Amino acid sequence: MEKTEFLNNEVLLDSIFESVYDGVVIVDSNGDIRYMSDNYCRFLKVEQSKVIGEHVTNVIENTRMHLVVQTGKEEMTDLQFLRGDYVIANRIPILKNKKIIAAIGTIIFRDLEEWKKMNSHIKGMLSELNFYRNEWKEINGSKYSLHDMVGNSQKITELKEQVLKISSGDISVLIRGESGTGKEIIAHSIHLLSDRSEKRFVKVNCGSIPEHLLESELFGYEEGAFTGAKKGGKIGKFQFADGGTIFLDEVGDMPQHMQTKLLRVLQEKEYEPVGSLQSKEIDVRVITATNRPLEKMIENKLFREDLFYRINAVQLFLPPLRERREDISILVKHFLKKASTRIRKRVTSFQPEVISIMEQYDWPGNIRELENVIDACIHLSDNEVIETDTLPEYLRTQTWKVEERSLREIVEETEKKVIERVLKRVNFDKIKAAKALGMGKSSLYEKIKKYQITD
């Protein structure tokens, strides 16, 4: 039987599936639905005739069917949250001549009373798991995993594979990429996948700490080391991370005298607290990140060449968003769901024109800028569907140039517009506005003063 004939023979498929599974869906290689069983349609409360040809993500929440036809990897007995409950889902790719032509997905929710009992038990376990996970994150310091690096483009897929390969060892890693590309997510992921995952993950932003405080912040100090030093001294970030991982973000901003001290830590596995006469041994994995051209800085004697080779045992490059445009629509849906849940506003989708505009824009601020724009769109939208008029003007016109305005200026302009619109909507009731914006009243007053917003 030909593929198309089989997929379109609903009578045959119904007779097979309705008595065996509680829900069956078949998608083609594009992720479009070619068949959905009556049971599944009733469960989802959709009409079978209307879902055929729709992309599976528009019909089934939290689905992964469209990913299975891309990866070719089956997913068995996976818990899927669907219509307020968990169901057991299986997803299997269909191959012909070693080529993926479709995928079949099944769900189980039969024996409703038993399922409700099991579902309640699962929810209870997941709730308990989330509690301990959050508690562990507070102690451990790591809050991102590789699942937070959203995207299916070739560059992101290859990056994830690299992370999986190098995480288990103690090799130093240098993460490079433009601002806003997600370097911190990669650092967290390496730690979580390493043998040090049960120990602390400590982040230090080398560019945000004043130069005269950086040494004591990293290596701590002894009592009486300087005027104002705490009684008993203070441990530094390296000692705090002992046994775990330290992430030095913006390492290119580290002053040269501190580069020398960092080199000693990497070479000798020891350091000296400020004011101490003795060295202390340290066992810590060092991950660094920068968006600065270190090679050029070495030529200009601004960065030590020997330190560069120490931190550069493995380099990971994060591509800018403009080089992975195929991920934009996936990221947009991800941030829409995340932001609408946080803001508690029902916004479910975008006009196709909005997605098209976003895919054409170069995103100089990368993922961070994209997330800020989506946040603003949700606040500004009066409907469930985000329309083009909610986009910032520079996006609609596509005339903005990187050298003309900084990302901060763009974000501040968008933030001002959002606050003004919300204030007008609640007749300048600042308490209601603060609640709608998800910020404290004092923070709102500061923003109103900063942007000189008047009623």
Side-chain angles (χ1 to χ4, degrees), residues 240-255:
F240 190 61
D242 193 23
T245 304
I246 190 165
F247 173 45
L248 303 177
D249 198 7
E250 298 185 25
V251 70
D253 294 336
M254 182 177 283

Side-chain angles (χ1 to χ4, degrees), residues 419-430:
I419 292 172
E420 285 177 332
R421 184 152 180 173
V422 171
L423 282 168
K424 288 178 182 177
R425 194 169 66 211
V426 298
N427 295 320
F428 282 83
D429 185 322
K430 296 180 179 62

